[in-house]
Amino acid sequence: MIGRVRPAVSNLASYTPGKAAADVEDEHDISNAIKLASNENPWPPVPEVAAAIAAAVTGINRYADNSATDVREAIGGWLGLDPSHITVGCGSSGLLQQLFMAYVDPGDEVVFPYPSFEIYPVFSTLFDAVEVRTPLIDHTFDLDAVADAVTEKTKLIFLATPNNPTGTSISVDDVRVMLSKVRDDVIVVIDEAYREFNDPVFGDPVELQADHPNVVVTRTFSKAFGLAGLRSGYGVCHPDIIRELDKVRLAFSVSNLSQVGMLAAITHEDAAMEKVATLLDERQRCVDALSAAGVAMPPTHSNFIFIPTGDATSDIALAMEKDGIVTRPFPGIGLRVTIGTPEENDRWIESFLSAR
Ligand SMILES: Cc1ncc(COP(=O)(O)O)c(C=O)c1O
C-alpha cells in the first residue's frame, strides 16, 4: 500500500463498469456482441447537435465558461424558469456528488429507497455518511417508509423517478404528501435522469419547489438526448442551494463541448424526442413479447426493462452474454436490459426467453 489512503476509499469496491461488447466477444470467442447494460441511447445524437460539437472542437484551447451562463439562460427559457434556478454539472452524477460535497459531513444520514441508483451508496461511503436504505414494495418506492426513516441527522434524501433499476415511477402528488412529513432542512433530491421516457401522468417535480424550496431536481442530456459521453447534467432548485452547489463543482468540469452540446440539444429537442418516441414503441414491443411468453415484470417508465429473475439472474445473464448480449444483472434480484434498436431488441428477447 503506497500512501495512507482514506479508509472510506480503501473500503470501497473498485467501480466495475458494465462489460464492453468487445470484452465479451474476446471472452466467449464470438462476434457481433451488443451492450444493453448502461441505459444508453442506441442512436448517435441528432446530426445538427453532433455538428455543433464538432465545430466547437477548435475552441478547446480555452477553458469553458465556468458559470455556463448561456446554458443556464437557455435551460431557463426552455423550462420557463428564471436562470437563477438552474445549475449545470459534469453529468447529473456530477451534481449528485456536489450535493454530497455541499451538505454531507461524516456521520450525517442519507436516506434512499433501495435498490436504486448505485451511486447513492458509493457517495455515501466516500463521504463517511450513514446510508439509510428503505425497502421497495412491489418494486416501487414506499414513501411512508422514506419519511419515517428521517432523523435529526438526515441531510439528504434521494428519490430516482423513474427508478434505476426497477423502472418504476412515483407521482408528484405522492411526493408532496411525503414532503409534508419531512423537515424542510432536509434536501430532497428528485433524480430525473430518465424523465423523457416517463409517463407525464406522474407530474413535474419542479412544481413542488413553490411550496418546498428544499427540493432539488436533477436531469441529464445523457439518456434521451444521446449525449452520455459528453457529461451534461443540469439541476433545477432554489438559488440558495445553487450558490452552495456551484462552490463545490470542479472548475471547468462542464466543458465547452458539453455546453455547446446542451445548447444545440435544446434547439433540436424535437428531433431527439422523435427518437425517444421510437424507443417507447420498442419498449412496448419488448414488454408485449415478454408478457405473451408469461414473463412478469414491474411496469417500466424508462428506457430499460427490469425482469425480477431472482436466484436465476446470474445464470441467465451469463447465457445471454454467450449469445453476445451484455445486460446488467443484479445477482439474486433481477436483470436490467436497456432498450436498443429494433434488431437488438429482437436479439435480446429471443436470447432471454431461451435462457430463462
Ligand atoms: C438514476 C440515475 N441518475 C443519474 C444517472 C447519471 O447520469 P449522468 O451522470 O450521465 O447524467 C444515471 C445513469 O445511469 C441514473 O441511472
Side-chain angles (χ1 to χ4, degrees):
M1 178 70 75
I2 302 168
R4 288 175 294 163
V5 69
R6 291 176 51 218
V9 176
S10 59
N11 291 339
L12 198 66
S14 294
Y15 178 67
T16 41
K19 276 188 194 171
D23 295 342
V24 167
E25 289 177 354
D26 287 349
E27 201 175 319
H28 302 295
D29 198 18
I30 53 174
S31 58
N32 208 11
I34 51 173
K35 183 182 172 202
L36 302 175
S38 300
N39 300 339
E40 294 153 331
N41 194 314
W43 292 296
V46 173
E48 289 85 347
V49 175
I53 297 165
V57 163
T58 50
I60 59 170
N61 53 314
R62 304 286 178 196
Y63 291 110
D65 167 14
N66 194 42
S67 309
T69 310
D70 292 348
V71 178
R72 291 184 207 226
E73 279 175 8
I75 294 177
W78 185 38
L79 303 180
L81 297 168
D82 191 89
S84 63
H85 289 254
I86 311 294
T87 187
V88 292
C90 183
S92 57
S93 317
L95 281 166
L96 300 175
Q97 185 190 43
Q98 287 167 247
L99 283 155
F100 274 89
M101 286 198 278
Y103 290 97
V104 177
D105 275 323
D108 285 346
E109 293 177 8
V110 176
V111 178
F112 48 86
Y114 196 83
S116 191
F117 187 28
E118 294 294 336
I119 223 169
Y120 311 147
V122 169
F123 285 153
S124 299
T125 304
L126 268 180
F127 286 83
D128 286 313
V130 176
E131 61 175 67
V132 181
R133 302 180 181 197
T134 62
L136 275 58
I137 299 177
D138 286 340
H139 307 288
T140 306
F141 292 172
D142 174 358
L143 294 177
D144 290 334
V146 173
D148 289 345
V150 171
T151 73
E152 281 295 302
K153 290 186 168 175
T154 307
K155 286 285 189 72
L156 298 174
I157 295 175
F158 287 99
L159 300 173
T161 179
N163 184 39
N164 172 8
T166 55
T168 48
S169 292
I170 44 174
S171 76
V172 163
D173 290 343
D174 289 344
V175 178
R176 195 185 295 280
V177 173
M178 188 209 83
L179 286 167
S180 69
K181 296 187 262 179
V182 171
R183 285 193 331 271
D184 60 9
D185 65 354
V186 176
I187 301 286
V188 180
V189 183
I190 313 287
D191 176 344
E192 283 202 299
Y194 302 98
R195 163 181 181 74
E196 295 81 2
F197 305 102
N198 202 5
D199 188 330
V201 77
F202 290 103
D204 183 350
V206 168
E207 286 170 12
L208 295 166
Q209 292 173 346
D211 296 324
H212 300 281
N214 54 323
V215 170
V216 173
V217 178
T218 57
R219 296 178 178 167
T220 184
F221 288 89
S222 293
K223 310 290 181 180
F225 293 89
L227 297 180
L230 207 55
R231 315 310 300 124
S232 309
Y234 64 100
V236 183
C237 57
H238 192 280
D240 286 1
I241 300 176
I242 288 188
R243 190 179 56 242
E244 308 308 327
L245 294 182
D246 283 353
K247 287 181 196 167
V248 297
R249 186 182 50 252
L250 179 66
F252 313 116
S253 59
V254 182
S255 72
N256 9 27
L257 298 188
S258 171
Q259 295 188 31
V260 166
M262 287 194 263
L263 291 172
I266 293 168
T267 305
H268 300 284
E269 178 191 12
D270 290 352
M273 290 310 117
E274 278 174 32
K275 296 281 184 64
V276 167
T278 306
L279 281 176
L280 294 184
D281 288 346
E282 278 298 299
R283 181 180 79 188
Q284 190 59 47
R285 198 172 68 81
C286 295
V287 167
D288 290 348
L290 293 170
S291 303
V295 178
M297 72 216 112
T300 173
H301 300 290
S302 197
N303 68 335
F304 52 85
I305 292 180
F306 181 75
I307 311 171
T309 38
D311 291 340
T313 302
S314 300
D315 288 345
I316 295 174
L318 180 61
M320 292 178 74
E321 207 179 282
K322 288 179 180 166
D323 284 344
I325 294 149
V326 188
T327 63
R328 175 69 164 86
F330 293 79
I333 304 175
L335 198 67
R336 191 193 72 200
V337 190
T338 307
I339 303 299
T341 63
E343 301 71 37
E344 290 171 343
N345 297 329
D346 287 344
R347 271 184 69 185
W348 83 257
I349 294 283
E350 189 186 336
S351 173
F352 173 80
L353 291 179
S354 62
R356 72 179 159 144

